Amino acid sequence: MSADGYLFHTTQLDVAPVGGLIGAEVRGLPLSGELNDDQTAAILDALYKHKVLFFRDQQHLTDASQEAFAARLGRPVPHPTVPVREGSSYLLELDSLHGGRASSWHTDVTFVDAYPAASILRSVTSPASGGDTTWANTTIAYERLPEALKPLVDNLWALHTNAYDYAATRNAVDEERIQRHKQVFASTVYETEHPVVRVHPVTGERTLVLGHFIKNFVGLSTSDSQRLFRILQDHVIKLEHTVRWRWREGDVAIWDNRATQHYAIDDYGDQRRVMRRVTIAGDVPVGIDGRTSRTLKPAAQAIAA
């Protein structure tokens, strides 16, 4: 590993940036569990640089080989509450016919302390139109904060939970989806306090930890938390901080979950959209002052690295 935290490798990937500040397509590389250490290091370095990577034409991947590839990047972990797809060990299926629509900005599973380091998402069934996903770069968002705001966020903490108001930010949500959220996604209630600014364990960059799992900022009232959250969240998702991907069946996206938020756009009506995701175990965030995130509910239970 080099002094700046990146991995030594000799593999040269064909990498084409997609957005100006986030996202790149990696061309000509079939993903599998058979990739060697040098290829894996090259992928990880590209991921740390671009925050999200896209791979076209990966139709050869099965559930098993997607999990095997994920294991090359780190240790796969299941979702803490949602059951894995039958026959798999870690794979989460997001099927639009069964509530698999996450149309709000979030970082995966921040309601636990060591939330995932990365996610690997594969398109199984794509709608003919719509169903894109957008990612935001939370590193560049921190860098571009007004200087007057940085001292505030540098010392700010937030309470994250999966027991949030599912219908609050969605239009025309049916009762079945609300009940599924309560009975499955929030079947065990998690609450964790994170620093709003964490130090990335590989790059050393400072990233903003926000998204829809935030309940409130520590020490602030609900109303003050809501106003401040809107200011900071709106800054993160400014268009110039984002990249948008038009899915085709067989596409794979990998994102650095410690440096991004994402939003699956629910604009495809009754068309079917099926995605399968594997997440990689993360580490407990460390704030600028060296303090680490802390779990409040349930005690001593989280996705550990």
Side-chain angles (χ1 to χ4, degrees):
M1 182 173 289
S2 63
D4 59 7
Y6 288 80
L7 303 172
F8 291 120
H9 62 85
T10 59
T11 297
Q12 297 298 311
L13 300 176
D14 182 1
V15 178
V18 177
L21 296 173
I22 177 176
E25 182 181 351
V26 179
R27 300 167 176 168
L29 180 65
L31 302 179
S32 77
E34 303 302 316
L35 295 181
N36 62 41
D37 290 346
D38 200 69
Q39 291 171 313
T40 302
I43 291 172
L44 288 172
D45 273 0
L47 180 63
Y48 299 141
K49 178 180 180 179
H50 297 286
K51 314 308 182 193
V52 56
L53 300 178
F54 306 106
F55 301 78
R56 293 282 195 195
D57 303 321
Q58 304 294 317
Q59 290 88 346
H60 61 279
L61 284 176
T62 63
D63 293 351
S65 58
Q66 181 181 356
E67 290 186 326
F69 166 67
R72 298 295 297 133
L73 303 183
R75 180 170 64 85
V77 290
H79 193 279
T81 59
V82 181
V84 299
R85 174 172 162 79
E86 184 176 355
S88 66
S89 299
Y90 309 103
L91 194 143
L92 176 68
E93 181 166 85
L94 304 168
D95 187 337
S96 60
L97 295 185
H98 304 290
R101 300 175 186 245
S103 51
S104 59
W105 283 102
H106 65 287
T107 296
D108 284 336
V109 201
T110 58
F111 48 85
V112 304
D113 59 357
Y115 60 85
S119 292
I120 300 99
L121 187 66
R122 172 170 59 104
S123 175
V124 177
T125 302
S126 293
S129 58
D132 297 359
T133 302
T134 303
W135 286 263
N137 184 335
T138 61
T139 299
I140 200 72
Y142 175 80
E143 292 175 3
R144 292 187 167 197
L145 272 175
E147 289 302 318
L149 276 179
K150 285 186 178 179
L152 170 62
V153 299
D154 284 350
N155 297 286
L156 193 63
W157 284 64
L159 177 66
H160 295 240
T161 182
N162 58 333
Y164 62 93
D165 186 351
Y166 178 80
T169 59
R170 294 167 169 84
N171 295 322
V173 179
D174 60 65
E175 186 62 29
E176 180 181 352
R177 289 169 67 182
I178 294 174
Q179 289 305 312
R180 174 179 168 80
H181 173 80
K182 292 178 180 178
Q183 295 169 8
V184 179
F185 192 85
S187 55
T188 298
V189 173
Y190 291 82
E191 291 187 352
T192 299
E193 289 181 351
H194 291 299
V196 171
V197 182
R198 72 171 293 179
V199 179
H200 195 287
V202 177
T203 67
E205 296 170 322
R206 296 179 178 185
T207 73
L208 291 172
V209 186
L210 293 163
H212 75 203
F213 293 121
I214 285 184
K215 183 177 183 179
N216 63 270
F217 294 114
V218 177
L220 298 186
S221 68
T222 299
S223 58
D224 287 345
S225 291
Q226 289 174 344
R227 287 193 289 268
L228 180 56
F229 174 80
R230 195 68 270 154
I231 291 170
L232 297 175
Q233 182 65 20
D234 284 349
H235 175 74
V236 169
I237 62 175
K238 291 174 68 173
L239 287 179
E240 54 265 39
H241 300 162
T242 67
V243 64
R244 179 166 173 162
W245 186 251
R246 171 90 277 269
W247 292 98
R248 298 200 305 246
E249 291 179 11
D251 285 359
V252 170
I254 307 171
W255 62 93
D256 184 342
N257 198 54
R258 297 174 292 202
T260 59
Q261 290 185 33
H262 58 281
Y263 185 112
I265 301 171
D266 186 2
D267 62 349
Y268 49 95
D270 294 333
Q271 300 177 84
R272 193 173 186 186
R273 182 180 187 269
V274 180
M275 315 293 284
R276 293 179 186 157
R277 188 184 82 194
V278 181
T279 54
I280 302 300
D283 54 300
V284 178
V286 178
I288 295 172
D289 61 2
R291 290 188 295 157
T292 58
S293 302
R294 48 188 175 266
T295 298
L296 304 182
K297 295 181 181 178
Q301 184 175 349
I303 299 177

